[in-house]
Amino acid sequence: MSESTQIAWNRKDLTGIEPLSRGEIELILDTAPQFVAVSKRQSGIKKVPLLQGRLVVNWFHEPSTRTRTSFELAAKRLSADTLSITASTSSSVKGETLHDTLANIEAMHSDVIVIRHNCAGAPHILAARHASHIVNAGDGRHEHPTQALLDAFTIREHVRKHTSNPEATLDGVKVAIIGDVEHSRVARSDIWCLNKLGARVCLCGPATLLPMDVERMGVEVTHDLREAIHDADVIYALRIQLERQAKALFPSIREYIRLFRIDSDSLQSAPAHALIMHPGPINRDLELATEVADGPRSVILEQVSNGVAIRMAVMHLLVNSGNKSGS
Ligand code: NCD
């Protein structure tokens, strides 16, 4: 039985995966299927009134398409009112502090603030001082908790289907995360999340793209792609974050492709059942070949669909769980 049946949600905010217990993570995952069903309704309204009359503000200080639209859609499917503020339209460009901007938004009685910020820790600072429910939609290189939750949910759904066991967990599942771990908040949240759920995580990439001492997070590390994927149940390609690299961290794109790209050639070393995942946006044919991204093992678009349900589950638990100790 999942640990989530024994616990209640009692956090005001979702600032990261690191502070969560396995039971809390499983509670979110177990809350999502009802929202998958809402989005899949063939007839009738693809909405539930759980956040009716509430105000959800999407406050993004970095470019984002899928995360921002996913949160916006999740809020709308919960019947909330939504507002979007981007950094270029907010008064931060005029020098206003994050606290002042949020105090002004809160004066209009916001309930949930979804924030993406290039500074690690920004959501935590706001969560400690403000009454709104803060959801971290990505802070610097630190965490991207809803991405990790939707990834874990997508993997769990496939494990359950594959084993014909509707209660199967991630215990013992091997996930190989390939590429630019150094710059990736997705990788950090995924490592926390998958480890807490009992999965084995193996990181693989050029030494310059793997953080020093990353083994301390309880992961295996290799620089040999075939070794990483030969027994993997999931192969998770990360985007090479060219925009975050101050200097070239690998000799050439051609070299990276030869050693680390997930393509039909390298995939010959992986088990036939291995799933292919990527958080998006993809640098097509750099970290992931088009034939694999669009191939039968890819669950990349399922990740996107599940993202809406996971974000509905998170906002529902934060707002409707009677709780409210700090994050
Ligand atoms: C990621 C992000 O912005 O952290 N994308 C996403 O949220 N779907 C990963 C990335 O940009 O590579």
Side-chain angles (χ1 to χ4, degrees):
M1 199 198 323
S2 133
E3 287 181 27
S4 80
T5 47
Q6 293 140 41
I7 71 147
W9 186 263
N10 61 11
R11 291 178 189 269
K12 177 175 89 58
D13 313 290
L14 179 69
T15 53
I17 299 292
E18 186 182 359
L20 302 185
S21 67
R22 177 173 184 157
E24 288 173 304
I25 293 170
E26 289 187 334
L27 176 60
I28 298 170
L29 303 191
D30 293 347
T31 305
Q34 59 184 300
F35 297 126
V36 172
V38 170
S39 292
K40 281 190 180 159
R41 281 179 188 165
Q42 294 289 345
S43 55
I45 300 168
K46 290 195 187 111
K47 274 190 178 204
V48 283
L50 290 165
L51 257 63
Q52 194 156 37
R54 303 286 189 164
L55 177 58
V56 175
V57 179
N58 266 326
W59 188 18
F60 277 63
H61 293 252
E62 273 186 4
S64 166
T65 314
R66 87 202 64 214
T67 304
R68 191 169 45 75
T69 48
S70 181
F71 269 108
E72 184 156 349
L73 195 54
K76 286 183 161 48
R77 293 210 166 137
L78 291 167
S79 308
D81 296 323
T82 60
L83 273 184
S84 268
I85 305 172
T86 50
S88 58
T89 59
S90 79
S91 294
S92 61
V93 290
K94 300 182 186 165
E96 190 177 44
T97 68
L98 284 181
H99 286 305
D100 283 340
T101 308
L102 183 49
N104 278 274
I105 298 170
E106 288 194 313
M108 293 181 264
H109 303 289
S110 55
D111 296 284
V112 179
I113 306 291
V114 178
I115 179 162
R116 169 168 287 195
H117 202 281
N118 50 335
C119 294
H124 310 68
I125 290 168
L126 293 172
R129 240 215 247 170
H130 295 266
S132 299
H133 302 281
I134 305 289
V135 182
N136 180 359
D139 63 322
R141 297 183 194 181
H142 179 229
E143 280 230 41
H144 190 350
T146 55
Q147 179 71 44
L149 292 163
L150 74 89
D151 290 338
F153 181 75
T154 304
I155 298 170
R156 198 177 76 168
E157 289 291 289
H158 277 274
V159 170
R160 289 181 172 185
K161 207 156 65 180
H162 190 68
T163 58
S164 306
N165 174 5
E167 309 237 310
T169 66
L170 295 198
D171 284 302
V173 169
K174 177 172 171 184
V175 182
I177 300 180
I178 316 296
D180 189 353
V181 178
E182 170 71 15
H183 298 95
S184 177
R185 53 193 169 211
V186 171
R188 258 166 278 273
S189 286
D190 271 348
I191 294 168
W192 286 118
C193 191
L194 294 166
N195 270 349
K196 284 173 195 262
L197 293 174
R200 272 172 65 204
V201 179
C202 176
L203 305 181
C204 176
T208 45
L209 294 185
L210 299 181
M212 298 245 280
D213 292 337
V214 74
E215 290 93 338
R216 285 202 302 211
M217 290 184 81
V219 293
E220 300 158 37
V221 175
T222 173
H223 307 299
D224 178 343
L225 180 60
R226 278 153 189 85
E227 185 187 322
I229 66 177
H230 81 278
D231 58 347
D233 301 297
V234 178
I235 299 170
Y236 196 106
L238 293 171
R239 186 172 67 87
I240 300 292
Q241 304 210 4
L242 297 166
E243 79 282 11
R244 288 190 205 267
Q245 295 188 15
K247 56 181 187 317
L249 290 175
F250 45 85
S252 72
I253 300 274
R254 191 189 298 183
E255 173 89 346
Y256 183 89
I257 289 174
R258 193 171 63 80
L259 295 173
F260 298 106
R261 180 168 74 178
I262 308 302
D263 51 28
S264 42
D265 184 34
S266 54
L267 266 192
Q268 285 178 10
S269 309
H273 71 269
L275 303 175
I276 304 296
M277 300 178 73
H278 190 295
I282 304 171
N283 295 307
R284 275 184 183 264
D285 298 316
L286 202 177
E287 67 265 0
L288 189 59
T290 286
E291 80 263 13
V292 177
D294 301 339
R297 300 161 168 220
S298 168
V299 296
I300 294 169
L301 293 178
E302 282 175 47
Q303 290 173 266
V304 177
S305 307
N306 289 335
V308 177
I310 282 290
R311 291 172 175 124
M312 290 172 79
V314 165
M315 290 192 279
H316 165 56
L317 288 169
L318 291 178
V319 173
N320 296 322
S321 293
N323 56 65
K324 303 327 168 195
S325 52
S327 62

